[in-house]
Amino acid sequence: GYDMAVPGNHEFDYGVDHFLNLAKKATFPYISCNFNREGELILPSYIIREYDGVKFAFVGVTTPMTLRTSTPTYFRNDKGEFIYGFLEDETGEKLYAAVQKAVDDVRAEGADYVILIAHLGNGEEVSPWMYNQVIENTAGIDVVLDGHSHDAEQVIVKHKDGKDVIRSAVGTKL
């Protein structure tokens, strides 16, 4: 009964190929605006659903910490070079740009509301990719549903244009 899912770090615990095979079998789409192989996105960045004439866009984002919190060798080729990634630069700018592009794309397609379905978290160890840093460095998101840190905080963070964005943590195990 799922409408969509975002891969988190544990989706890769048995390897990227295993996850991709499971994702193909799923009856719902996986979305992520930053999961890539050699710079090419692997999954759709977003989906748009219409309910009672209102368009809701769901943008997916996966924590770049996945490279460290899952098994790093799963993301490398036979030569030991990383071929999979999550736009994990030191400043966060690549991740922010990917999220902003997806948000801009869905707004251009007429989305009334943009919901970031995130697996980012709030711990300092995930900086500069924490949910609040992504919100503060982007504009156009209305709500963030966030996992990874397993907390249940409900907070409001201003995006870069000063609008309030609700962040709702989803806890653990739904």
Side-chain angles (χ1 to χ4, degrees):
Y2 292 104
D3 292 313
M4 87 259 344
V6 173
N9 51 303
H10 292 299
E11 269 68 30
F12 301 99
D13 285 352
Y14 299 99
V16 175
D17 291 339
H18 184 73
F19 163 71
L20 292 174
N21 285 332
L22 291 175
K24 286 179 192 172
K25 295 176 183 180
T27 59
F28 52 86
Y30 274 88
I31 56 174
S32 178
C33 70
N34 64 314
F35 175 41
N36 70 88
R37 180 184 171 130
E38 297 177 325
E40 297 293 321
L41 287 178
I42 295 171
L43 303 170
S45 295
Y46 60 86
I47 61 171
I48 297 175
R49 298 284 192 255
E50 190 169 324
Y51 305 100
D52 294 328
V54 180
K55 286 186 175 181
F56 291 85
F58 300 89
V59 174
V61 63
T62 304
T63 181
M65 280 296 292
T66 299
L67 291 179
R68 291 184 233 161
T69 55
S70 191
T71 306
T73 56
Y74 291 155
F75 301 99
R76 300 176 190 215
N77 63 16
D78 293 340
K79 298 176 185 175
E81 303 162 324
F82 280 98
I83 58 172
Y84 293 100
F86 299 89
L87 303 177
E88 60 280 347
D89 70 318
E90 293 180 14
T91 65
E93 292 299 321
K94 288 182 181 180
L95 182 67
Y96 310 151
V99 171
Q100 189 64 64
K101 180 185 181 323
V103 170
D104 292 345
D105 288 350
V106 298
R107 290 290 185 186
E109 289 186 40
D112 297 300
Y113 295 98
V114 177
I115 302 160
L116 188 68
I117 307 295
H119 195 86
L120 292 170
N122 63 0
E124 284 297 320
E125 70 278 1
V126 299
S127 185
W129 313 302
M130 294 187 299
Y131 75 84
N132 61 307
Q133 293 167 312
V134 171
I135 294 169
E136 292 165 353
N137 286 281
T138 59
I141 298 167
D142 295 296
V143 174
V144 176
L145 300 178
D146 184 36
H148 189 60
S149 55
H150 301 192
D151 66 284
E153 292 179 349
Q154 310 298 305
V155 298
I156 295 176
V157 179
K158 294 205 181 289
H159 72 41
K160 75 176 185 178
D161 290 342
K163 182 180 177 231
D164 287 345
V165 176
I166 299 166
R167 185 265 189 168
S168 181
V170 298
T172 182
K173 299 179 183 91
L174 300 177

